[in-house]
Each structure stands twice: as C-alpha cells, then as structure tokens.
Amino acid sequence: MKAIKIGFIVSLTALMSTGCEKILEENPQSQIVPSYFNSAAGVLGGIAGVYNDIRSQWGTEGFTVEMQAGTDEFLQGASSGGGPAYTYNGLNGSNFGAAWGTAFQDINTLNGVLQYGQTIDLPEATRKQYLAQAKFLRGFWYFYLVQTWGDVPLNTTFITVASQAASRQPAAQVYEQIIKDLTEAAADLPNTPTAPFLGKAATKPVAQLLLAKAYLTRGWLNNTAADFTQAASICADIIANKSAYGLDLWQDFGDAFVPANDYGKETMFVSDHVLDPKYGYYTVGGAASGGAAQNLSPWFTNWNYPNNSGVNSYKSATGGFVNSGTSLMIRDSQYGRPYVRMRPNSYKWTTGTNAGKNYFLDQAFTNRTIDSRFMNSFYTVYISNTSVTNSATAANNKRGISYTTVVGADTAVWIPDFEVEGAPQFIGTRPFKGIVVPPSMWDNGIFPALKKFMDPSRGANFNDPSTRPCVLYRFSDVYLTGAEAYLKAGDAAKAASLLNVVRQRAAYRKTNTAAQNAAAAAAMTITADNVTVDFILDERTRELFGEWQRWHDLVRTRSLVRRVKAWNPEAAPYIQDFHMLRPIPQSQIDRVVDGPKFPQNPGY
C-alpha cells in the first residue's frame, strides 16, 4: 500500500496477547492513547501500521513455514533445519505461533481506529473509506486466527488498561464478527484502489473475496448449505463485475508472475516490500534474515545450484545424484539465493495405494505437456552463468570429451520432469555439457525450484531481500473459491464451468498457434462428473503452489490428515486429527494469571 507507508510501526499492543508479566507491571508497551485517533493523521497512521505488520509475516521464513510445511505440497529442504512444523512431531505452543501476537496487536489498533475514528474531521466519504479499511483488516486478521486456532479471544473495543486476564470465545462468534466486518467493509470500500490507499490495498472485491472464503470455511465447519450458497453468489458477483473492479486473468498464466505485472489486473491484494530503509526492518548488502520483515519468499524453495551442480556429477549405485567436480553455476540474481528451506513433494512411494507415484508429478502437476502451470511455476533449465572447462582426461569425466561452457548459451543444469537415459552426463549416448537431473535423482538438495517469486532486479546485491510484493490474493482464486462453494452447494456443473476458466487459461502458450491453443483448451475442459473436493485441491496446487494458502486449504476442506497420510512421508507417521488446529502459544497461556487459566487446544 504505497501511498501510506510510514517510517515507524504503530505498536499499539493488545496487552492480553503480547506483553509479559514484567512488562505489564513495570513498562507497558502501548504508547498510544485514545486521543491519538482523534485526527485523520492518527487514524491513517493506525491503518498504515497494520499494513506494515502484515509485511512482517508474509514473505518471512517462520510464517511461510507455518502456512505451507506439513502439507501435501512441501517436504523439508536440505537446509531447513528440520522442525515440528514439517512433521508435527513435537509441535507445541513453544515452537509455533509466529503471528499470534502481531494479529492481536493489530486488532487492538484497529479497534482504536474504529472506536475513535467515527468523529474525525474528514469528508463523510473519506471517513467511511478509512473505517472500511479498518473493518477489512480486523476481519482479515480474525479470519487468519480462527482458521489457525479455532476459538480465540474476541475483542472489539480498544484496550488501554493492562490486564492479565483473557478468555477464548467460540469460533461461531468469531465468524459472526468476521462476516459483519467484511460485509460492512465491502459496502464502503471503493471498487478500485483510491488515494491514499493505492497499490493493491483492500478494495470492494478484495473484501468480497475474503467474505466468500469466510462463508465457505464456516460452511465446511457446520455443513451449512446457506453458507456455501452465499460464498458462491459472492464469487459470481465479483466475476460479473470484474471490469468495474479492474480485474481479469492474464491470457498467459506466466504473465501473472512477471514483476512488471505485480500490481496488474490479476493481482487483488498484496503485502508491499520496498528497499527504502526508512520503512524499517530492511537491510542491504546480503544481510537478509528470515526473521525480519523482509520478503525472502524467492529463496526458500530454491536448491543450492552453485554448490550442487558439479561438472563431474554422476549416478550412484542406488540411482541417486552424486555431486562432484567444479560447479557449473554461480549465484546470481536470475536464479536467486539458495536457502533450500523447503522443496516440492516429489517423494516416490514404494508401498500403499500410491505405490510408484509422487504427489508433485503424478497427482498435482499432471498433463504437463498441455497445462503450462508447471513450466511457468518452476525452473527446470539453468543457463550457464560461468565458464567452466572440462578436460577429457579430468578425474571422473565419463563423457570422454573436452568442452568449455558458454555463458548465456549453454545449458548448465537440466531438471526434466521425466526420466532421461544416460543422466546425468549424457542424453542417451550423446555427451551433454551440463548435467541432467531427472525425477529419480531429486532429493532434498536438488529439485525444481519455484520461480514464481524470483526477483531478477536484485542486481549487484542479489543476496538482498526481494522488493517485489507478496501477492496474497489473485483473481484466479475467485474462480477456485467459487467452484468449491458451488460444489458444496450441490451445483457441480457451475463448479466445472468456473474451473474451466482457470484450466483453459492454463492451456494457453504464446508459442502455440491459435489452432493449437484451441485444441489445448479443449483438452483441459472438464465436466461436472470430474469435479470433486480432491480435484479442486489438486487444481489449487497447480494454480497457487507456494502462495501461503495450502495449510488452510487442507484444514478448511477437512482433508489435512487424509492427504498428509497419503502423500507426505515425513509427517504421515505423526499427524493426528487434533493437528487440524494449531497449538496456542505457551507465552499466551503463561501470561494469563488472573481468573480462569487460558486453555490450550486439545492434544497439545
């Protein structure tokens, strides 16, 4: 939200959720009093502070892991450091909950905006827009909280007095407040970004999408047909009015991730990230840290290509990839910084109903010759960025030829999505300058890297955090959310028609002729008989892989345990039904010393 970024964080602390006992007694953190919100500048500052705090979660390492690890999509990378979020083994209130305190802090800030901003001296339309932003953001944070933890404290008034008492309210009440906030926000927010809330801040269709998701999720919880119907109707309304909202799909799926299109027609809502240090939590010169409010999302799913692309690499006796020799690649801005925290789930099962299959290629990204989303989402070809000479007589050189790689022309690494005879040094019997790493050689150190979020603008300081925004919602999600709602409401034909819009777009390739694109779109078209919850979940993987939604998608559809057991070998032995809710942070439980003890979720 570019126009209202500020050089400080509005840290209006919800004392029941973010302090500790000593702070509460001796040094309260809240420095903002009600009079702060009696001016337009104060209200705007409060809203800006909340947007800034969203930036402190989306794109950062801990929060990204919490939103995506332990699902069917991801396994641990070689540098993940392990952790209970990936396996559920040992998951507890001491090692989970990156955004709990931030969410309640921001909710209290928003309560102050809404409570004291009613009478600020502004034109009526402007004041309504400010308050609508606050309602949207409060609904946004409460929706995250209730999906993650279930029953949570429900606060709608501004807390100014320190307290060591707190309680949890039923999720049903929280959903009522979310739906009220988002309904009112949608009524008063403008159709398109309007000053001072520019960039891709909340607008009417963004509030509507979140409202549809809230209805859909509550419908799953209670099996309420009316909620499914309402969610479907809202999504249909957004689509019907897309031109008024300035929204649409790019013709080519890949164009949704071109940096120049980050604020384009398919993008609905973002968390901005900029290099200017006055906005806080930003360092330059390669000092990026996963714990700061920085966008490091391009790097988390990146394999260590500079260290694992040895020119003399070979296939082990068991068929795996063995790295050996001088590296064919060096770190650069195009291919990004290799954090190797998580990797696409390409584990090949040897037993059970999925024997011989892996989730990545055999369940999610199927039909890859027609569906462009695999190609547009992952790097599979690495063009040489350093010149390497390999002598025919060099140790372990089994190619039998001498060669020098040509920078910018030769392929240094090819990671095909199918088996290649002769890999890694040959294609069949033909010597290959680079290395070939087919699926049988993928492991936690080498795999197709997610390229959606890569930031080639890093230039000389390519180790720095990305300045691209984190895109939280795209327009294609309206179709997917609507399809799920229609299916649950009993209209599989309408669900199929919405899915077909997304699928037919995925069939488009710029290199195809018009006739080829038409044939591809026809091949991607489905009917009502094809639509199931699992089909929609697979479609969401293809469309939204890595976009901070997977854990909530699986929880919403009551599919988490089933699909993790079916596809994730790291988490399958440990996951249980109670993991459908996350553990309440232990710090929250410990600080409640007045009144009834703050309850932990069952199983933890």
Side-chain angles (χ1 to χ4, degrees):
M1 197 178 63
K2 294 179 176 177
I4 68 165
K5 286 176 181 159
I6 53 177
F8 61 95
I9 296 177
V10 177
S11 182
L12 187 56
T13 306
L15 294 170
M16 52 72 59
S17 65
T18 60
C20 67
E21 185 173 347
K22 184 175 181 181
I23 291 176
L24 285 170
E25 292 178 353
E26 299 179 11
N27 184 27
Q29 292 185 347
S30 178
Q31 299 177 3
I32 300 176
V33 295
S35 60
Y36 179 83
F37 296 116
N38 287 339
S39 69
V43 168
L44 194 60
I47 295 169
V50 173
Y51 271 106
N52 189 71
D53 282 351
I54 292 174
R55 181 169 156 256
S56 73
Q57 302 300 323
W58 275 264
T60 62
E61 184 172 346
F63 187 78
T64 296
V65 169
E66 290 186 0
M67 295 289 274
Q68 299 184 156
T71 65
D72 48 8
E73 286 188 351
F74 285 104
L75 299 179
Q76 298 176 71
S79 300
S80 70
Y86 287 95
T87 65
Y88 300 92
N89 184 23
L91 187 68
N92 58 53
S94 297
N95 54 36
F96 189 92
W100 174 277
T102 297
F104 282 109
Q105 169 182 299
D106 286 348
I107 286 167
N108 199 46
T109 298
L110 296 164
N111 288 342
V113 169
L114 291 167
Q115 188 169 332
Y116 297 99
Q118 302 285 342
T119 58
I120 55 175
D121 185 17
L122 281 173
E124 179 66 14
T126 304
R127 181 169 58 252
K128 286 177 70 174
Q129 186 189 167
Y130 283 18
L131 298 180
Q133 286 284 340
K135 290 174 183 177
F136 167 82
L137 290 167
R138 186 168 67 180
F140 170 88
W141 269 127
Y142 263 124
F143 187 45
Y144 163 76
L145 289 167
V146 76
Q147 289 180 95
T148 308
W149 286 284
D151 301 347
V152 293
L154 180 59
N155 304 315
T156 57
T157 57
F158 186 44
I159 299 172
T160 59
V161 178
S163 172
Q164 292 176 290
S167 62
R168 298 170 68 180
Q169 279 67 58
Q173 288 182 231
V174 181
Y175 273 105
E176 287 177 6
Q177 186 62 49
I178 292 167
I179 288 170
K180 180 177 185 294
D181 278 346
L182 295 176
T183 300
E184 293 177 2
D188 289 340
L189 284 169
N191 287 352
T192 58
T194 303
F197 306 99
L198 298 176
K200 285 290 181 175
T203 55
K204 180 183 180 72
V206 175
Q208 286 179 308
L209 174 58
L210 202 62
L211 179 60
K213 286 177 174 285
Y215 273 119
L216 178 62
T217 308
R218 190 176 73 170
W220 271 100
L221 283 172
N222 304 318
N223 195 25
T224 309
D227 281 348
F228 296 132
T229 300
Q230 187 71 8
S233 176
I234 293 169
C235 290
D237 183 73
I238 299 171
I239 294 167
N241 292 285
K242 63 181 183 179
S243 59
Y245 300 146
L247 298 173
D248 209 344
L249 299 178
W250 295 103
Q251 184 178 31
D252 187 314
F253 172 79
D255 285 344
F257 307 101
V258 174
N261 294 336
D262 282 342
Y263 294 92
K265 62 184 180 181
E266 189 162 338
T267 302
M268 295 183 70
F269 186 64
V270 309
S271 166
D272 284 301
H273 291 263
V274 294
L275 188 61
D276 193 329
K278 72 171 176 282
Y279 298 124
Y281 293 131
Y282 220 102
T283 55
V284 296
S289 167
Q294 301 166 337
N295 181 13
L296 304 181
S297 53
W299 324 143
F300 297 142
T301 57
N302 210 11
W303 66 287
N304 197 347
Y305 61 93
N307 290 355
N308 289 326
S309 56
V311 68
N312 292 323
S313 296
Y314 59 93
K315 183 186 294 186
S316 71
T318 57
F321 177 81
V322 179
N323 180 60
S324 177
T326 303
S327 176
L328 287 161
M329 297 289 293
I330 58 173
R331 188 181 297 190
D332 69 6
S333 58
Q334 179 181 354
Y335 297 116
R337 187 172 182 177
Y339 267 49
V340 210
R341 296 299 194 261
M342 54 179 62
R343 61 185 171 112
N345 177 10
S346 59
Y347 175 82
K348 187 173 183 178
W349 291 82
T350 57
T351 60
T353 57
N354 292 323
K357 297 180 180 180
N358 73 65
Y359 177 75
F360 190 50
L361 298 180
D362 299 316
Q363 180 72 14
F365 290 95
T366 55
N367 205 14
R368 295 181 298 279
T369 57
I370 297 176
D371 191 331
S372 70
R373 288 174 291 190
F374 176 82
M375 174 193 73
N376 281 307
S377 296
F378 300 93
Y379 275 132
T380 57
V381 174
Y382 290 73
I383 302 301
S384 177
N385 60 10
T386 186
S387 181
V388 175
T389 297
N390 197 28
S391 168
T393 60
N396 299 321
N397 182 355
K398 299 178 181 179
R399 293 178 175 87
I401 59 170
S402 297
Y403 64 86
T404 299
T405 56
V406 179
V407 174
D410 285 335
T411 297
V413 184
W414 179 34
I415 308 179
D417 57 336
F418 55 89
E419 292 305 312
V420 175
E421 182 185 358
Q425 295 185 341
F426 293 81
I427 299 177
T429 59
R430 179 169 62 88
F432 184 64
K433 278 188 180 182
I435 55 173
V436 184
V437 190
S440 61
M441 297 184 190
W442 298 352
D443 57 25
N444 66 354
I446 185 165
F447 46 81
L450 191 63
K451 70 177 180 180
K452 287 180 175 180
F453 313 129
M454 286 299 180
D455 190 351
S457 69
R458 296 300 73 231
N461 289 324
F462 50 76
N463 287 328
D464 288 345
S466 172
T467 56
R468 295 183 66 181
C470 292
V471 179
L472 277 64
Y473 302 125
R474 291 192 289 113
F475 187 52
S476 61
D477 198 5
V478 178
Y479 291 91
L480 297 173
T481 300
E484 186 180 325
Y486 275 114
L487 176 66
K488 294 297 291 181
D491 193 342
K494 185 62 176 177
S497 71
L498 292 184
L499 290 172
N500 280 332
V501 174
V502 176
R503 288 176 58 80
Q504 289 167 359
R505 188 271 289 266
Y508 177 85
R509 296 177 190 252
K510 292 184 176 76
T511 54
N512 282 351
T513 65
Q516 287 172 327
N517 278 323
M524 288 286 284
T525 301
I526 61 170
T527 66
D529 292 340
N530 299 118
V531 184
T532 64
V533 171
D534 281 321
F535 186 92
I536 290 173
L537 285 171
D538 293 342
E539 199 65 36
R540 291 187 69 84
T541 278
R542 290 185 276 271
E543 186 72 21
L544 305 171
F545 195 97
E547 296 181 41
W548 300 280
Q549 298 204 45
R550 194 58 178 181
W551 194 84
H552 283 153
D553 285 346
L554 296 182
V555 168
R556 179 185 65 254
T557 57
R558 326 314 291 167
S559 304
L560 177 70
V561 176
R562 174 174 59 85
R563 287 183 68 112
V564 166
K565 283 183 176 294
W567 293 111
N568 186 325
E570 296 174 345
Y574 305 106
I575 193 169
Q576 299 182 54
D577 288 344
F578 71 81
H579 289 123
M580 292 278 285
L581 292 176
R582 299 299 206 178
I584 300 290
Q586 189 61 41
S587 57
Q588 168 66 34
I589 294 172
D590 291 344
R591 70 171 59 95
V592 177
V593 296
D594 290 344
K597 183 178 179 180
F598 198 89
Q600 178 60 273
N601 275 328
Y604 294 105

